[in-house]
């Protein structure tokens, strides 16, 4: 009987082998860490070097003594003791669950005889401490619920622990719904045991298990007992076992023969929660019934294993250090065919996406690589950051060149401490008003000139250090209202007194030395310097802000912003007009009809109403007003842009702007047909482009019906770049668009592209300085980070925004999203490393397989150069055109040679 059984088993194993080999190995990733060559191993698994997935660490190999089967094994070790040392493995191909297997080998590769100790994290969770003095090699297996596109597997040095070292990393997708311990993705599993019960002839894995789990033989686990002869059913119906164990594993079992109970005693590494899966298959000629006990508790009574059927039992056990699985006989012989035991590890919550993207933008604006990747708080906080759980509570960025406190700082709502000393900050203290938890603010050793109006909103502030700045004027009364403030350092500024009496209290220490004259008394003693030269003659008090909170404050902020923006426009328009005046004596309203409007015509409001059929069909809405479709008497379609009241200019400024717009004519710029300035309305009439915007066609409404081919995208890019080139270089006027984005690139019937919305452009004459300083304007996601921090506007800011448009074209997505994972929120940060590495898997799926690789490479490179942080390193728009034209013609050649039609 025995022999019969094993013969059949042998046959089954062989047939199973052939069935499986043909279909799987999908999604497997097997990295030979520190390796330099690819190879296929004896299980027919393909191994590749790890260099693509890791950017740190040194490569070496373990050399085995002569006479051993293999001679050497590559390993990678990490001598740098700071920061996270991580593999970043894409998991976008894996739908829900992945097995991660790592092997750590020391074997005295460095000849020092000191096996290292270090800890390992997966995503945000610290999973384990590897101690190669205890086991060498040390193998870890994790089951990870895929919750982001990139899985970071990182190593963390322990003081005096030596260098982390790894020899292999394997990823194996697992069946969906398997190993479920929680409804969300907040737990991962760390393997303790996976036993092929009743089998003692070595471990089984791929290709017998298509998921390449390693099923250990039963012999290591005492009491050791191997099943004798059982009947075999080769086609168990496994549909109700989510884990899909391989049939061959279920074909053997440990079966109780003589004793009353079948017992597995399994020691565990840590006291904690464990997930136990038991597999039962009806391989006996009878249907046994038994109770299942774990550590003495009945977890299933009267459990019956029906003949020919297979089932599993999953149990979560809390707070145990040892596992005792007992099957207690009721009827016939209890049996178990396989078992798995996993430690349950909590995955710490990720920080909020707002926080992560804010920090990424801040990192970008420093121009430094701070090593800020993945999650800021877990598994260990980033450098310069401290956390409380998943909240970022402290940020210290000093001795860098930050220049302004950008609005992004206002998104770090959980901050309790902010230290920006010696960060070259200038101007006023701004964008911090929303940080309601802030207790400690250190802005010392900068060039800050004004308190601004937001300090008074920091209701929890305790420590405020403003020493060694260039603050001048008087100290605002409102500081005294900060009830928790107990330390205020104003030393070495240019302030003058008197200090508000509200600061004169026992609980508050105020330091004032090194100022012009800063005391609580209103008279300065005669020894102090006279404040005449260095202080302004007039002190302007900013009006107190209403304390009735958030919404109103935000609203007021917005209105103030709009007013400020408007006044800048007004101011520049006035400047322009002043200049105009000199050369043009007509300045009154009656001048409208006499100015040279080129081809633009003047409409009456009545005509506009008729043209738009009383504003019947809105076709868009911009920041400055609504756009309606219009139909001119001759049948020509136009886009009629009606300005919101708020965004209106003074009549003279408007006319001057129109005069400017009417001078600009280029085939790649949307042209002005006319305007109306009547009945308090300011209306601009543009040619109408029926093809929608580039954004519509890439990922908006139009993209659902038709995909823009790569060659079309390139043609559009060339067109739009030509339009910008004309603005920058094409006439005596030097115009910076300031709001280049894919929704401002419009298409006509023939898919020719034209740039629109340059009405708000800042015009510069050659006589102007090389830059203008103005308020930050533009659209989030397209904003030049340097413009953000320096507030100096140049043509290179347009180039940056245009680079973002090119990235959109390549990837087919918006510049900012809040879906997916934090790594991918910001298009520039996400796409740049891939594209620079020539990794085109992030190219828009809709155009994959239809583009010439060189054409894509050139476009990707010019896009990446355009979004360089340092404006000096960005190309000019004419250089961009040259590259795009080249990419375009490469793609045309490719299409012609491959017989594609676009
Ligand atoms: C190894 O795998 C490849 C596909 O990955 C398959 O074509 C080949 O037949 C396999 N070879 C063996 C010996 O199983
Ligand atoms: C690791 O590599 C770097 C650069 O390749 C080298 O400078 C360093 O000495 C190496 N460290 C060790 C411990 O081998
Ligand atoms: C994802 O799958 C695609 C197609 O199946 C393949 O070309 C690509 O290499 C895979 N990516 C990874 C990271 O496995
Ligand atoms: C497997 O069992 C499930 C229910 O347990 C049943 O719905 C399914 O039809 C069975 N499949 C086969 C092939 O017998
Ligand atoms: C395991 O549990 C069984 C029944 O609960 C008990 O009889 C046995 O002594 C236990 N063994 C150990 C080692 O705890
Ligand atoms: C187990 O099943 C037997 C017979 O099927 C029954 O007599 C007994 O009461 C059951 N025990 C429990 C605890 O359900
Ligand atoms: C300020 O930072 C610069 C680097 O940006 C550094 O060279 C300088 O020593 C720092 N000054 C102080 C006072 O820390
Ligand atoms: C602020 O930073 C400066 C420079 O490091 C330091 O000297 C000062 O003590 C800090 N202030 C407080 C209140 O910690």
């Amino acid at each position: 009987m025995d022999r019969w059984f094993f013969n059949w088993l042998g046959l089954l194993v062989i047939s199973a082998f052939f069935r499986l080999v043909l279909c799987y190995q999908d999604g497997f990733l097997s990295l030979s860490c520190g390796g330099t060559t690819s190879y296929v191993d004896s299980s027919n698994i393909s191994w590749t070097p790890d260099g693509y997935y890791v950017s740190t660490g040194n490569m070496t190999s373990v050399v085995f003594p002569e006479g051993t089967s293999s001679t050497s094994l590559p390993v990678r070790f990490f001598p740098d003791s700071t920061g996270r040392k991580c593999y970043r493995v894409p998991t976008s191909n894996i739908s829900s669950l992945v097995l991660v297997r790592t092997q750590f080998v020391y074997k005295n590769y460095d000849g020092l005889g000191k096996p290292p100790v270090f800890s390992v994290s997966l995503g945000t969770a610290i999973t384990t401490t590897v101690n190669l003095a205890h086991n060498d090699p040390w193998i870890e297996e994790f089951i990870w619920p895929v919750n982001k596109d990139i899985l970071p597997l990182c190593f963390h040095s322990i003081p005096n622990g030596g260098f982390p070292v790894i020899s292999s990393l394997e990823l194996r997708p697992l069946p969906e719904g398997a190993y479920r311990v929680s409804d969300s993705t907040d737990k991962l599993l760390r393997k303790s045991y996976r036993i092929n019960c009743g089998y003692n002839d070595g471990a089984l894995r791929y290709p017998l298990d298509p998921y390449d789990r390693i099923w250990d033989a039963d012999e290591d686990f005492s009491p050791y007992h191997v099943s004798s002869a059982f009947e075999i059913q080769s086609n168990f119906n496994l549909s109700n076992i989510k884990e899909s164990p391989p049939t061959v594993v279920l074909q053997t079992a440990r079966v109780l023969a003589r004793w009353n109970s079948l017992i597995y005693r399994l020691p565990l590494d840590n006291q904690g929660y464990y997930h136990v899966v038991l597999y039962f298959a009806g391989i006996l000629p009878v249907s046994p019934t038994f109770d299942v006990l774990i550590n003495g508790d009945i977890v299933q009574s009267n459990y019956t294993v029906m003949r020919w059927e297979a089932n599993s039992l999953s149990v979560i056990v809390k707070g145990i250090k040892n596992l005792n699985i007992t099957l207690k006989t009721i009827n016939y012989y209890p049996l178990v065919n396989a078992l798995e035991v996993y430690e349950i590890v909590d995955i710490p919550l990720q920080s909020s996406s707002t926080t992560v993207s804010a920090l990424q933008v801040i990192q970008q604006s420093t121009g430094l690589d701070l090593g800020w990747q993945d999650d800021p708080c877990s598994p260990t906080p980033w450098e310069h950051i401290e956390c409380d759980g998943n909240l970022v509570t402290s940020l210290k960025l000093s001795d860098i060149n930050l220049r302004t406190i950008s609005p992004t700082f206002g998104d770090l709502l959980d901050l309790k401490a902010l230290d920006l000393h010696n960060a070259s900050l200038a101007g006023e203290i701004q964008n911090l008003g929303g940080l309601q938890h802030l207790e400690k603010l250190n802005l010392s050793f900068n060039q800050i000139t004004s308190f601004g109006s937001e300090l008074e909103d920091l209701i929890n502030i305790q420590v405020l250090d403003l020493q060694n700045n260039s603050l001048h004027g008087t100290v605002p009364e409102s500081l005294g209202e900060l009830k928790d403030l107990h330390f205020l350092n104003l030393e070495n500024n240019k302030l003058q007194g008197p200090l508000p009496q509200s600061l004169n209290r026992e609980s508050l220490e105020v330091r004032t030395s090194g100022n012009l004259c800063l005391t609580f008394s209103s008279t300065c003693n005669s020894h102090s310097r006279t404040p005449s030269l260095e202080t302004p003659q007039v002190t302007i008090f900013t009006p107190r802000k209403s304390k009735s909170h958030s919404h109103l404050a935000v609203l007021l902020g917005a209105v103030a912003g709009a007013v400020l923006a408007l006044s800048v426009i007004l101011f520049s328009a006035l400047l322009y007009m002043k200049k105009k005046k000199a050369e043009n004596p007509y300045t009154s309203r009656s001048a409208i009809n006499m100015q040279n409007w080129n081809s633009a015509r003047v409409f009456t409001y009545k005509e506009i109403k008729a043209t738009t059929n009383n504003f019947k069909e809105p076709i868009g809405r911009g920041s400055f007003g609504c756009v309606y479709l219009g139909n001119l008497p001759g049948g020509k379609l136009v886009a009629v842009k009606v300005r919101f009241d708020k965004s209106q200019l003074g009549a003279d400024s408007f006319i001057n702007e129109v005069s400017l717009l009417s001078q600009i004519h280029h085939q790649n710029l949307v042209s002005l047909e006319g305007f109306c300035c009547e009945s308090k309305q300011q209306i601009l009439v543009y040619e109408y482009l029926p093809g929608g915007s580039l954004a519509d066609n890439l990922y908006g409404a139009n993209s659902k019906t038709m995909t823009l081919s790569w060659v079309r995208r390139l043609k559009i890019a060339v067109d739009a770049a030509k339009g910008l080139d004309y603005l920058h270089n094409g006439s005596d006027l030097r115009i910076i668009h300031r709001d280049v984005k894919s929704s401002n690139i419009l298409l006509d019937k023939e898919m020719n592209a034209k740039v629109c919305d340059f009405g708000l452009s800042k015009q510069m004459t050659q006589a102007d300085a090389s830059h203008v300083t103005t308020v930050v304007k533009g659209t989030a996601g397209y904003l030049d980070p340097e413009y953000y921090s320096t507030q100096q506007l140049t043509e290179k800011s347009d180039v940056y925004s245009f680079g973002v448009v090119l990235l959109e074209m390549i990837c087919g997505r918006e510049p900012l999203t809040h879906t997916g994972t934090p790594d991918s929120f910001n298009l520039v940060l996400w796409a740049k490393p891939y594209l620079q590495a020539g990794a085109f898997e992030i190219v828009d799926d809709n155009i994959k397989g239809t583009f010439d690789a060189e054409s894509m490479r050139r476009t990707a490179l010019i896009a990446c150069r355009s979004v360089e942080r340092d404006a000096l390193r960005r190309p000019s728009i004419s250089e961009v055109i040259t590259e795009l034209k080249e990419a375009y013609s490469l793609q045309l050649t490719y299409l012609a040679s491959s017989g594609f039609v676009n």
Side-chain angles (χ1 to χ4, degrees):
M1 188 90 169
D2 274 17
R3 195 169 303 141
W4 175 86
F5 166 73
F6 280 109
N7 282 345
W8 275 102
L9 179 62
L11 269 183
L12 275 165
V13 167
I14 288 163
S15 67
F17 185 86
F18 279 109
R19 266 211 322 278
L20 295 170
V21 176
L22 299 178
C23 21
Y24 293 97
Q25 211 175 341
D26 274 359
F28 280 24
L29 179 69
S30 311
L31 301 183
S32 161
C33 303
T36 51
T37 52
S38 297
Y39 63 94
V40 176
D41 72 9
S42 59
S43 309
N44 201 19
I45 289 175
S46 308
W47 290 81
T48 51
D50 61 346
Y52 185 69
Y53 303 93
V54 64
S55 54
T56 61
N58 290 24
M59 297 153 75
T60 184
S61 45
V62 173
V63 180
F64 294 108
E66 274 184 53
T68 36
S69 57
S70 58
T71 54
S72 81
L73 173 73
V75 295
R76 180 180 292 271
F77 66 97
F78 300 88
D80 178 13
S81 65
T82 59
R84 296 180 192 175
K85 285 139 290 184
C86 300
Y87 280 84
R88 289 196 173 74
V89 197
T91 50
S92 40
N93 279 2
I94 298 171
S95 63
S96 67
L97 205 61
V98 65
L99 176 79
V100 180
R101 184 161 44 225
T102 50
Q103 175 172 265
F104 306 99
V105 173
Y106 173 63
K107 300 285 186 202
N108 204 14
Y109 72 84
D110 54 4
L112 299 175
K114 283 192 185 150
V117 185
F118 53 93
S119 58
V120 178
S121 67
L122 208 54
T124 52
I126 290 275
T127 55
T128 188
T129 300
V130 171
N131 185 341
L132 287 163
H134 288 180
N135 276 324
D136 187 1
W138 178 296
I139 296 172
E140 286 285 345
E141 273 190 27
F142 306 104
I143 293 180
W144 195 66
V146 174
N147 60 6
K148 41 198 306 200
D149 295 341
I150 302 277
L151 170 60
L153 169 77
C154 308
F155 311 107
H156 308 263
S157 304
I158 287 174
N160 302 319
F163 306 148
V165 56
I166 181 169
S167 69
S168 73
L169 169 58
E170 296 163 87
L171 257 66
R172 309 287 186 248
L174 288 175
E176 206 159 326
Y179 304 105
R180 233 182 138 73
V181 293
S182 131
D183 286 335
S184 59
T185 55
D186 60 349
K187 313 268 187 226
L188 69 84
L189 300 176
R190 170 178 177 240
K191 189 193 100 170
S192 304
Y193 295 99
R194 188 182 299 117
I195 304 172
N196 179 5
C197 302
Y199 185 76
N200 67 344
D201 197 14
L204 299 183
R205 61 184 291 185
Y206 183 82
L208 293 174
D209 184 346
Y211 301 101
D212 195 22
R213 288 162 291 198
I214 297 177
W215 298 85
D216 291 317
D218 206 357
E219 57 200 332
D220 289 346
F221 306 99
S222 58
Y224 160 56
H225 168 77
V226 179
S227 56
S228 50
F230 308 111
E231 276 191 54
I232 288 178
Q233 171 71 11
S234 64
N235 290 313
F236 286 113
N237 181 347
L238 297 183
S239 66
N240 44 5
I241 309 186
K242 288 271 182 2
E243 285 75 14
S244 298
T247 321
V248 61
V249 165
L250 297 184
Q251 281 163 352
T252 60
R254 195 193 284 206
V255 184
L256 179 78
R258 278 178 295 268
W259 300 282
N260 185 22
S261 294
L262 191 164
I263 300 175
Y264 272 92
R265 272 179 313 217
L266 306 169
L268 301 170
D269 285 354
N270 301 303
Q271 176 114 22
Y273 281 44
Y274 284 84
H275 179 62
V276 179
V277 191
L278 303 173
Y279 299 91
F280 303 102
I283 59 173
L284 299 180
V286 292
S287 299
T289 301
F290 47 86
D291 286 342
V292 180
L293 293 86
I294 291 187
N295 289 16
D297 296 331
I298 298 191
V299 294
Q300 190 77 45
S301 60
N302 269 14
Y303 192 83
T304 303
V305 181
M306 300 300 290
R307 241 182 124 180
W308 315 135
E309 285 185 13
N311 257 306
S312 67
L313 184 63
S314 296
V315 184
I316 291 174
V317 202
K318 301 178 180 176
I320 56 169
K321 182 79 180 68
N322 284 289
L323 189 62
N324 173 346
I325 302 169
T326 305
L327 308 182
K328 205 165 166 192
T329 308
I330 294 176
N331 244 333
Y332 304 112
Y333 319 102
L335 88 170
V336 58
N337 302 59
L339 66 87
E340 295 181 84
V341 180
Y342 294 93
E343 185 180 347
I344 301 174
V345 179
D346 286 330
I347 303 179
L349 275 182
Q350 292 177 24
S351 299
S352 81
S353 56
T354 315
T355 303
V356 179
S357 27
L359 289 169
Q360 284 174 344
V361 171
I362 290 169
Q363 164 166 254
Q364 198 185 15
S365 70
T366 64
L368 303 172
D369 180 6
L370 302 172
W372 283 0
Q373 271 190 299
D374 311 315
D375 190 82
C377 293
S378 301
T380 52
W382 284 341
E383 277 180 62
H384 310 287
I385 278 175
E386 283 168 31
C387 294
D388 180 4
N390 66 340
L391 306 179
V392 173
T393 54
S394 162
L395 173 62
K396 287 189 181 141
L397 284 176
S398 343
D399 305 338
I400 58 164
N401 194 7
L402 208 54
R403 294 180 281 216
T404 61
I405 304 175
S406 69
T408 356
F409 281 89
D411 286 340
L412 301 173
L413 291 174
D414 306 305
L415 277 187
K416 289 188 172 154
L418 178 62
D419 185 348
L420 301 176
H421 79 260
N422 192 21
S424 308
L425 300 176
E428 67 173 32
I429 299 170
Q430 55 182 352
N431 296 318
L432 298 177
L435 305 185
Q436 300 286 296
H437 300 288
L438 201 62
E439 293 168 0
K440 199 172 163 187
L441 179 60
N442 193 341
L443 300 175
S444 59
F445 299 94
N446 285 297
Q447 292 86 49
I448 296 171
T449 49
S450 152
F451 287 98
S453 60
E454 294 188 359
L455 286 178
E456 63 191 80
D457 296 333
L458 301 175
I459 50 177
N460 279 308
I461 197 82
Q462 297 171 10
V463 173
L464 183 56
D465 192 341
L466 301 172
Q467 64 170 305
N468 292 282
N469 274 287
S470 309
L471 290 166
H472 58 255
T474 55
V475 178
E477 186 83 31
S478 55
L479 281 187
E481 287 168 25
L482 298 167
K483 291 289 170 250
D484 292 333
L485 191 65
H486 57 72
F487 182 77
L488 173 62
N489 195 339
L490 300 170
E491 283 173 340
N492 302 319
N493 279 287
K494 294 173 183 152
L495 294 164
Q496 58 180 335
L499 275 171
Q501 285 303 325
S502 52
L503 292 173
N504 195 0
R505 56 179 194 248
E506 203 159 294
S507 59
L508 174 60
E509 176 186 351
V510 186
R511 296 202 186 158
T512 58
S513 67
N515 281 284
L516 297 181
C517 167
L518 197 55
T519 59
F520 284 111
S521 71
S522 54
T523 54
C524 285
N525 71 47
S526 54
H527 296 298
S528 69
R529 284 178 288 161
T530 43
S532 57
L533 280 178
E534 290 184 64
T535 46
Q537 297 300 308
V538 190
T539 310
I540 300 165
F541 291 98
T542 43
R544 293 287 316 278
K545 271 205 297 189
S546 158
K547 281 257 171 185
S548 76
H549 279 327
S550 43
H551 293 310
L552 187 55
V554 167
L555 194 67
L556 285 174
V559 170
V563 168
L564 186 64
L566 201 62
S567 47
V568 167
I569 295 171
L570 198 68
F571 182 63
S572 50
L574 277 173
L575 274 184
Y576 175 75
M577 196 179 127
K578 226 174 181 173
K579 189 166 161 286
K580 265 274 174 221
K581 261 186 194 164
E583 32 183 86
N584 184 348
Y586 310 106
T587 53
S588 70
R589 291 268 287 107
S590 65
I592 292 180
N593 295 317
M594 312 187 65
Q595 287 224 20
N596 175 15
W597 297 119
N598 296 299
S599 53
R601 60 174 278 211
V602 186
F603 290 87
T604 62
Y605 189 59
K606 213 165 141 196
E607 280 172 311
I608 294 282
K609 271 172 86 169
T611 299
T612 57
N613 200 356
N614 209 5
F615 305 103
K616 191 154 164 244
E617 199 177 332
I619 51 176
R621 186 188 170 90
S623 49
F624 279 76
C626 284
V627 187
Y628 300 88
L629 185 63
N631 200 339
L632 292 184
K636 185 169 188 182
L637 292 175
V638 288
V640 177
K641 187 178 248 179
V642 183
R643 290 206 163 163
F644 294 139
D645 282 354
K646 266 195 315 208
S647 64
Q648 288 199 354
L649 305 173
D652 289 339
S653 314
F654 179 69
I655 287 164
N656 276 294
E657 189 182 306
V658 171
S659 152
L660 164 68
L661 288 179
S662 66
Q663 291 173 47
I664 301 171
H665 288 285
H666 187 268
Q667 59 187 15
N668 298 117
L669 296 172
V670 174
S671 62
L672 184 73
E673 296 283 331
F675 69 97
C676 164
C677 180
E678 206 179 275
S679 323
K680 288 193 188 162
Q681 298 284 348
Q682 295 183 347
I683 297 172
L684 294 167
V685 180
Y686 287 99
E687 68 174 309
Y688 172 70
L689 296 176
S693 70
L694 174 59
D696 291 340
N697 285 278
L698 276 180
Y699 43 75
N702 298 5
S703 68
K704 306 217 164 50
T705 48
M706 194 196 70
T707 294
L708 269 189
S709 64
W710 179 237
V711 76
R712 285 233 160 112
R713 292 179 197 202
L714 285 172
K715 169 71 166 48
I716 292 167
V718 172
D719 283 353
K722 282 184 186 162
L724 287 178
D725 185 37
Y726 183 80
L727 290 179
H728 291 179
N729 309 311
S731 66
D732 289 344
L733 304 169
R734 206 180 129 208
I735 295 169
I736 297 171
H737 188 295
R738 299 214 287 172
D739 200 10
V740 176
K741 55 181 173 181
S742 56
S743 56
N744 275 344
I745 297 174
L746 303 181
L747 305 179
D748 70 8
K749 270 205 313 290
E750 283 86 38
M751 308 291 267
N752 300 307
K754 302 190 179 199
V755 176
C756 71
D757 231 7
F758 42 91
L760 300 170
S761 312
K762 177 80 187 177
Q763 174 221 356
M764 299 157 71
T765 59
Q766 300 295 1
D768 276 342
S770 64
H771 66 264
V772 287
T773 302
T774 175
V775 288
V776 173
K777 227 201 259 329
T779 303
Y782 295 91
L783 262 185
D784 168 8
E786 192 162 273
Y787 173 23
Y788 225 130
S789 55
T790 60
Q791 310 202 354
Q792 294 184 346
L793 182 72
T794 71
E795 286 91 342
K796 293 292 179 73
S797 307
D798 280 352
V799 171
Y800 182 93
S801 309
F802 189 68
V804 178
V805 172
L806 293 177
L807 294 177
E808 285 179 82
M809 254 174 42
I810 294 171
C811 303
R813 55 157 278 193
E814 293 162 84
L816 291 179
T817 68
H818 276 271
T819 56
T821 68
D823 302 321
S824 65
F825 288 166
N826 182 316
L827 174 61
V828 172
L829 299 179
W830 171 71
K832 212 170 148 191
Y834 281 98
L835 295 179
Q836 279 171 333
F840 293 150
E841 65 251 36
I842 60 161
V843 169
D844 188 351
D845 282 336
N846 290 318
I847 55 167
K848 277 204 181 122
T850 65
F851 58 81
D852 174 65
E854 180 61 14
S855 161
M856 180 60 74
R857 198 187 64 82
R858 287 187 99 118
T859 316
L861 283 187
I862 198 72
C864 291
R865 285 181 53 209
S866 302
V867 296
E868 282 282 354
R869 178 185 188 260
D870 183 354
L872 290 174
R873 295 175 60 188
R874 291 178 209 150
S876 68
I877 195 73
S878 3
E879 210 180 319
V880 174
I881 295 178
T882 313
E883 284 300 302
L884 288 175
K885 278 185 174 164
E886 189 62 30
Y888 179 57
S889 77
L890 282 167
Q891 177 68 5
L892 284 177
T893 314
Y894 166 81
L895 292 176
S897 68
S898 57
F900 273 112
V901 213
N902 63 39

